[in-house]
Amino acid sequence: MRQNSLFGFLAAGAIALLLIVIAGFYWFFGKSPVNLIGGGTASEPGGAIFVSKSAPVMVSMLVNPDKLQASNSDRELSKLKTSLLANTGIDYKQDVQPWLGNEITLAVTSLDIDRDAANGRQPGYLMALASKKPENSREFVELLFSKRALAGENLVVEDYQGVKLISDTSPSEKGLLVGASVGDFVLFANDPKVLRDAINNVQAPDLNLTNSAQYQKALKQLPKNALAATFLNLPAVAEWQNLKLEEATYDSQIVSLAINPKGLLAETSLLTSLATSPPSSQLSQPVGALNYIPETAGLAISGVDLSNLDNSDLAKLWKQVTTAISGSQKDVTSSLAQPLADVQKGWGIDLQKDIFSWVKGEYAIALLPREQQINPDWVFVVEKSEGVLEAISRLDAIASSQGLNVNSLTLDNQKVFAWTKLTTVTNNLDSGSESINLKAKVQGVHTNLGNYEIFTSSIDVINQVLKVKDNSLVKNRNFQDSIAAIPQPNQGYLYLDWAKSHEIVERQIPILKLVEVVAKPFLDKVRSLIVSSYGSDTGLLKGGVFFQLHHS
């Protein structure tokens, strides 16, 4: 379970960062946002040459806004494109469109510009815009700052190693702005030192990100049709958040976005120079256990082998990333299946020891949202393998030891076993006396179908499973379209019906609430998302998230 939901959390965190930084683009020009998600043409971020190897984050949009409009991938783009310069007196079509190329890169270049902790930490920000007509872009820089001077800003012009830097002398409510034209790029920063460092990075190749061996390794994972890419230096990101990692298996991450005819694919690759274990079993098709998951499921996790999670590289990564991104050691993955965690707590069992340890074949876990009920129902399907029958007998024994009754009953000609707890219910009669009745509260139900053992939270749910037939999740058209976008072979899936279950997941992963606030126009179009991990290289953990979109 952890291996498949892991990439959902990682991609969500990186995409949230990507969207937040995109929203930060307008900070340079007067706080007017622009949306640049669409189709791209640049092969890789050329702006990386201005960025230091030690920079925590670099985000690159490998696309020209006009090409986005031509692709008609998002109607809002045409409305938002000119808003980038809304408060500057600059006209996009006249002053920017003639020279703007296929890349806009934004980087957090340093954690503290002056490296003086006494006056607080002020990160350095750098934006690089590719220019296809350098002469026109140089004129744009001059025009932009002349407009700022007319608006009351005091400007300073500095020649630094042959490059003309123009900057404000005092920050306004729009923020301090420094600009320059360097070769085929226009650069903007929030402090003159940031631009000086950017120029130094070009002239001293050993300093820049382009010449980082780890970055070059990451670039090999970038798809040719990427619209955008985010590169993260994970130890630096942790330091940025004042966090200390007890373990740091993976040191860098690259996230890319690409358009698919039915939606958007975000891929993430985590890299390390350390020796890692080979990836787990690769699957060429969805596991058969999904045939027993009703299509009403809001969330489903499937794969093979849960027996070695604690010792896997994925477990080490999970601890590192949850600390770096969320600041918490909480096991967020287990929280995704909170009802199972509640069973663990109520019965006094250990999920890893008493359940996951014997799941060496296929598995599928699903949550089924239920109206007027905060916690959803659940289904857990396990392929029969050596030790499974003995493990189920142990679970029955644990249930008995916790005061539950293990009863067998027939449901639609199928023998099922229910774990129930008897309680008394007192009713007042018209005669004034009391009637005491027994009520059985179901804590769980299990049965076997074909080569699978099936556990559910209630009789109603096991009844759904028995009647699932052609209405299983794996035969659902949305699910089929989603898995078609994920490379095969892979290590299984996490599928989320956004409309049904995003509130359930957001309660367990708070960062998704931030994603929804920042990316609401996009998420309003999301029908579902599916997450998977794939690849067979050691030292590399790779996965993807495919967002299936509503088409108006």
Side-chain angles (χ1 to χ4, degrees):
M1 176 171 60
R2 184 175 303 177
Q3 82 180 17
N4 295 293
S5 60
L6 174 64
F7 285 105
F9 182 76
L10 292 180
I15 291 169
L17 178 61
L18 175 66
L19 294 168
I20 291 168
V21 175
I22 292 170
F25 279 11
Y26 70 85
W27 172 82
F28 290 97
F29 297 106
K31 301 184 178 180
S32 298
V34 64
N35 185 353
L36 289 176
I37 295 180
T41 57
S43 59
E44 62 182 61
I49 197 171
F50 300 104
V51 180
S52 168
K53 289 181 179 179
S54 60
V57 180
M58 184 185 76
V59 178
S60 297
M61 310 304 290
L62 307 174
V63 64
N64 184 291
D66 299 311
K67 292 180 181 178
L68 299 183
Q69 186 176 12
S71 70
N72 198 29
S73 62
D74 194 337
R75 294 179 182 177
E76 285 80 8
L77 286 172
S78 60
K79 300 177 183 178
L80 293 174
K81 184 173 59 177
T82 56
S83 69
L84 179 63
L85 304 170
N87 297 331
T88 65
I90 299 294
D91 179 80
Y92 172 82
K93 186 173 183 179
Q94 178 179 327
D95 302 318
V96 179
Q97 188 182 60
W99 61 264
L100 186 61
N102 294 324
E103 179 185 341
I104 300 177
T105 287
L106 181 64
V108 178
T109 59
S110 61
L111 301 180
D112 189 11
I113 294 172
D114 62 7
R115 297 180 176 83
D116 184 358
N119 59 11
R121 179 181 283 185
Q122 173 57 55
Y125 299 102
L126 175 71
M127 184 169 69
L129 298 93
S131 172
K132 58 187 178 183
K133 294 182 178 180
E135 183 177 347
N136 290 30
S137 56
R138 283 193 294 270
E139 292 174 356
F140 166 75
V141 175
E142 298 282 351
L143 177 62
L144 175 63
F145 280 95
S146 67
K147 295 282 188 180
R148 292 175 73 91
L150 291 174
E153 298 286 349
N154 296 317
L155 306 181
V156 170
V157 178
E158 172 188 356
D159 183 277
Y160 184 75
Q161 300 198 32
V163 177
K164 183 179 180 180
L165 308 184
I166 309 176
S167 62
D168 301 325
T169 57
S170 59
S172 68
E173 62 177 10
K174 298 180 181 179
L176 178 64
L177 181 68
V178 187
S181 179
V182 183
D184 294 334
F185 281 89
V186 170
L187 305 181
F188 293 102
N190 63 330
D191 191 276
K193 188 177 187 306
V194 175
L195 279 196
R196 295 190 202 107
D197 288 344
I199 294 169
N200 291 339
N201 289 335
V202 175
Q203 297 183 353
D206 289 343
L207 299 177
N208 66 54
L209 189 58
T210 300
N211 287 285
S212 162
Q214 198 70 350
Y215 177 69
Q216 287 297 322
K217 184 178 178 181
L219 280 182
K220 293 179 180 179
Q221 306 305 318
L222 192 65
K224 294 180 179 179
N225 62 338
L227 325 169
T230 301
F231 182 76
L232 299 97
N233 179 335
L234 295 178
V237 171
E239 183 183 352
W240 187 10
Q241 298 183 51
N242 295 315
L243 299 170
K244 293 184 178 180
L245 300 177
E246 295 181 8
E247 298 180 22
T249 303
Y250 294 90
D251 48 37
S252 59
Q253 178 183 8
I254 191 166
V255 180
S256 64
L257 301 176
I259 283 290
N260 177 286
K262 294 184 181 294
L264 180 71
L265 178 63
E267 283 194 320
T268 181
S269 299
L270 291 113
L271 302 102
T272 178
S273 55
L274 302 176
T276 61
S277 303
S280 58
S281 303
Q282 300 285 305
L283 304 171
S284 58
Q285 61 185 6
V287 296
L290 282 169
N291 288 305
Y292 298 96
I293 301 298
E295 66 175 355
T296 56
L299 182 147
I301 304 169
S302 63
V304 174
D305 194 358
L306 290 171
S307 64
N308 195 39
L309 285 178
D310 284 350
N311 298 321
S312 68
D313 291 320
L314 287 166
K316 296 177 183 178
L317 171 63
W318 183 255
K319 185 175 181 179
Q320 175 180 338
V321 173
T322 52
T323 302
I325 295 179
S326 70
S328 171
Q329 295 284 351
K330 182 181 178 182
D331 187 343
V332 183
T333 315
S334 294
S335 297
L336 282 175
Q338 186 62 44
L340 293 182
D342 291 342
V343 171
Q344 172 179 258
K345 181 178 179 181
W347 290 17
I349 64 174
D350 184 303
L351 282 176
Q352 175 62 40
K353 178 182 177 181
D354 297 318
I355 297 181
F356 294 167
S357 63
W358 49 265
V359 180
K360 298 182 180 180
E362 298 177 3
Y363 68 87
I365 303 171
L367 302 184
L368 284 68
R370 192 172 179 179
E371 291 185 7
Q372 300 178 343
Q373 181 175 301
I374 295 178
N375 281 335
D377 289 316
W378 53 266
V379 181
F380 183 28
V381 183
V382 183
E383 184 183 18
K384 290 179 183 178
S385 59
E386 183 179 357
V388 168
L389 295 180
E390 292 82 354
I392 294 173
S393 296
R394 286 196 299 272
L395 288 178
D396 285 338
I398 291 174
S400 296
S401 70
Q402 295 296 319
L404 301 178
N405 297 294
V406 181
N407 302 308
S408 65
L409 61 147
T410 301
L411 184 64
D412 198 20
N413 296 320
Q414 175 71 27
K415 187 175 183 179
V416 303
F417 295 86
W419 298 315
T420 61
K421 184 176 183 180
L422 294 178
T423 58
T424 58
V425 179
T426 302
N427 298 314
N428 294 318
L429 304 179
D430 293 338
S431 62
S433 60
E434 293 181 342
S435 172
I436 299 177
N437 299 313
L438 290 177
K439 182 179 179 181
K441 184 178 180 180
V442 176
Q443 303 290 311
V445 184
H446 70 85
T447 189
N448 66 82
L449 287 172
N451 197 39
Y452 297 90
E453 291 290 336
I454 300 170
F455 301 81
T456 71
S457 56
S458 70
I459 296 291
D460 288 341
V461 177
I462 201 74
N463 190 46
Q464 286 187 55
V465 172
L466 294 176
K467 298 178 179 179
V468 72
K469 295 183 180 178
D470 293 331
N471 296 319
S472 66
L473 178 65
V474 76
K475 295 181 180 179
N476 178 274
R477 180 62 181 271
N478 291 339
F479 183 83
Q480 288 289 337
D481 287 345
S482 295
I483 64 175
I486 298 294
Q488 291 183 344
N490 55 56
Q491 297 168 358
Y493 305 102
L494 180 153
Y495 174 81
L496 175 69
D497 185 304
W498 184 252
K500 292 178 182 176
S501 297
H502 72 277
E503 292 182 356
I504 296 172
V505 179
E506 285 172 356
R507 284 199 295 269
Q508 308 306 327
I509 306 180
I511 194 172
L512 288 183
K513 294 180 181 179
L514 177 61
V515 175
E516 185 164 25
V517 170
V518 176
K520 191 176 188 305
F522 168 71
L523 292 177
D524 284 345
K525 297 181 179 180
V526 173
R527 172 180 291 165
S528 64
L529 61 89
I530 196 163
V531 185
S532 185
S533 56
Y534 38 86
S536 57
D537 295 336
T538 58
L540 174 66
L541 200 56
K542 186 170 184 177
V545 184
F546 177 69
F547 298 89
Q548 188 180 26
L549 306 179
H550 292 285
H551 294 285
S552 56

